[in-house]
Coordinates of all heavy atoms in Angstrom, one line a residue:
R24 N -80.2 75.7 237.5 CA -81.2 75.0 236.6 C -80.5 74.7 235.2 O -79.3 75.1 235.0 CB -82.4 75.8 236.4 CG -82.2 77.1 235.6 CD -83.4 78.0 235.4 NE -84.4 77.3 234.6 CZ -84.4 77.2 233.3 NH1 -83.4 77.8 232.6 NH2 -85.3 76.6 232.6
G25 N -81.2 74.1 234.3 CA -80.8 74.0 232.9 C -79.5 73.2 232.7 O -79.2 72.3 233.5
E26 N -78.8 73.6 231.7 CA -77.6 72.7 231.3 C -76.5 72.7 232.3 O -75.9 71.7 232.5 CB -77.1 73.2 229.9 CG -76.5 74.6 229.9 CD -75.0 74.7 230.3 OE1 -74.4 73.6 230.3 OE2 -74.6 75.8 230.6
I27 N -76.4 73.8 233.1 CA -75.3 73.8 234.0 C -75.6 72.9 235.2 O -74.8 72.2 235.8 CB -74.9 75.2 234.5 CG1 -73.7 75.2 235.4 CG2 -76.1 75.9 235.2 CD1 -72.4 74.6 234.7
A28 N -76.9 72.8 235.6 CA -77.3 71.9 236.7 C -77.1 70.5 236.2 O -76.6 69.7 237.0 CB -78.8 72.1 237.0
L29 N -77.4 70.2 235.0 CA -77.2 68.8 234.5 C -75.7 68.5 234.4 O -75.3 67.4 234.7 CB -77.9 68.7 233.1 CG -78.0 67.3 232.5 CD1 -78.8 66.4 233.4 CD2 -78.7 67.4 231.1
R30 N -74.9 69.5 234.0 CA -73.5 69.3 233.9 C -72.9 69.0 235.3 O -72.0 68.1 235.4 CB -72.8 70.7 233.4 CG -71.3 70.8 233.6 CD -70.6 70.0 232.6 NE -69.2 70.0 232.8 CZ -68.6 69.1 233.6 NH1 -69.2 68.2 234.3 NH2 -67.2 69.2 233.7
I31 N -73.4 69.6 236.3 CA -72.9 69.3 237.7 C -73.3 68.0 238.2 O -72.6 67.2 238.8 CB -73.3 70.4 238.7 CG1 -72.7 71.8 238.2 CG2 -72.9 70.1 240.1 CD1 -73.3 73.0 238.9
I32 N -74.6 67.6 237.8 CA -75.1 66.3 238.2 C -74.2 65.2 237.6 O -73.9 64.2 238.3 CB -76.6 66.1 237.7 CG1 -77.5 67.0 238.5 CG2 -77.0 64.6 237.7 CD1 -78.9 67.0 238.0
R33 N -73.8 65.4 236.3 CA -73.0 64.3 235.7 C -71.6 64.2 236.3 O -71.1 63.1 236.5 CB -72.9 64.7 234.2 CG -74.1 64.4 233.4 CD -74.1 65.0 232.0 NE -75.2 64.5 231.2 CZ -75.7 65.2 230.2 NH1 -75.1 66.3 229.7 NH2 -76.7 64.7 229.5
A34 N -71.0 65.4 236.7 CA -69.7 65.3 237.4 C -69.9 64.6 238.7 O -69.0 63.8 239.1 CB -69.2 66.7 237.6
C35 N -70.9 64.9 239.4 CA -71.1 64.2 240.7 C -71.3 62.7 240.6 O -70.8 61.9 241.4 CB -72.3 64.9 241.4 SG -72.1 66.5 242.1
R36 N -72.1 62.3 239.6 CA -72.3 60.9 239.4 C -71.0 60.2 239.1 O -70.8 59.1 239.5 CB -73.3 60.7 238.2 CG -74.8 60.9 238.7 CD -75.7 60.4 237.6 NE -77.1 60.3 238.1 CZ -78.1 59.8 237.4 NH1 -77.9 59.4 236.1 NH2 -79.3 59.7 237.9
D37 N -70.2 60.8 238.3 CA -68.9 60.3 238.0 C -68.0 60.0 239.2 O -67.1 59.2 239.2 CB -68.1 61.2 237.0 CG -68.7 61.1 235.6 OD1 -69.5 60.3 235.3 OD2 -68.2 62.0 234.8
M38 N -68.3 60.8 240.3 CA -67.6 60.8 241.5 C -68.3 60.0 242.6 O -67.8 59.9 243.7 CB -67.3 62.2 242.0 CG -66.5 63.1 241.0 SD -66.4 64.8 241.5 CE -65.1 64.7 242.8
G39 N -69.5 59.4 242.3 CA -70.2 58.7 243.3 C -70.9 59.5 244.3 O -71.1 59.1 245.4
I40 N -71.1 60.8 244.0 CA -71.8 61.7 244.9 C -73.3 61.9 244.5 O -73.6 62.1 243.4 CB -71.1 63.1 244.8 CG1 -69.6 63.0 245.3 CG2 -71.8 64.1 245.6 CD1 -68.8 64.2 245.1
R41 N -74.1 61.8 245.5 CA -75.6 62.0 245.3 C -75.9 63.5 245.0 O -75.1 64.4 245.5 CB -76.4 61.5 246.4 CG -76.3 59.9 246.6 CD -77.2 59.4 247.7 NE -78.6 59.8 247.6 CZ -79.4 59.0 246.9 NH1 -79.0 58.0 246.2 NH2 -80.7 59.4 246.8
T42 N -77.0 63.7 244.3 CA -77.3 65.1 244.0 C -78.7 65.4 244.4 O -79.6 64.6 244.3 CB -77.1 65.4 242.5 OG1 -77.9 64.4 241.7 CG2 -75.7 65.3 242.1
V43 N -78.9 66.7 244.7 CA -80.3 67.2 245.0 C -80.5 68.4 244.0 O -79.8 69.4 244.0 CB -80.4 67.7 246.4 CG1 -81.8 68.2 246.7 CG2 -80.0 66.7 247.4
A44 N -81.6 68.3 243.2 CA -82.0 69.4 242.3 C -83.0 70.3 243.0 O -83.8 69.8 243.7 CB -82.5 68.8 241.0
V45 N -82.9 71.6 242.7 CA -84.0 72.5 243.1 C -84.7 73.0 241.9 O -84.0 73.1 240.8 CB -83.5 73.6 244.0 CG1 -82.9 73.1 245.3 CG2 -82.4 74.4 243.2
Y46 N -85.9 73.3 241.9 CA -86.6 73.7 240.7 C -87.8 74.6 241.1 O -88.4 74.5 242.2 CB -87.1 72.5 239.9 CG -88.1 71.6 240.6 CD1 -89.5 71.8 240.3 CD2 -87.8 70.6 241.5 CE1 -90.5 71.0 240.9 CE2 -88.7 69.8 242.1 CZ -90.1 70.0 241.8 OH -91.0 69.3 242.4
S47 N -88.1 75.5 240.1 CA -89.3 76.3 240.3 C -90.5 75.5 239.7 O -90.3 74.5 239.0 CB -89.1 77.6 239.5 OG -89.1 77.4 238.1

Side-chain angles (χ1 to χ4, degrees):
R24 66 179 299 277
E26 64 86 17
I27 187 58
L29 193 58
R30 167 74 186 87
I31 298 166
I32 288 171
R33 286 170 171 158
C35 287
R36 280 192 165 184
D37 287 350
M38 302 173 75
I40 296 172
R41 292 181 62 82
T42 55
V43 182
V45 294
Y46 64 97
S47 69

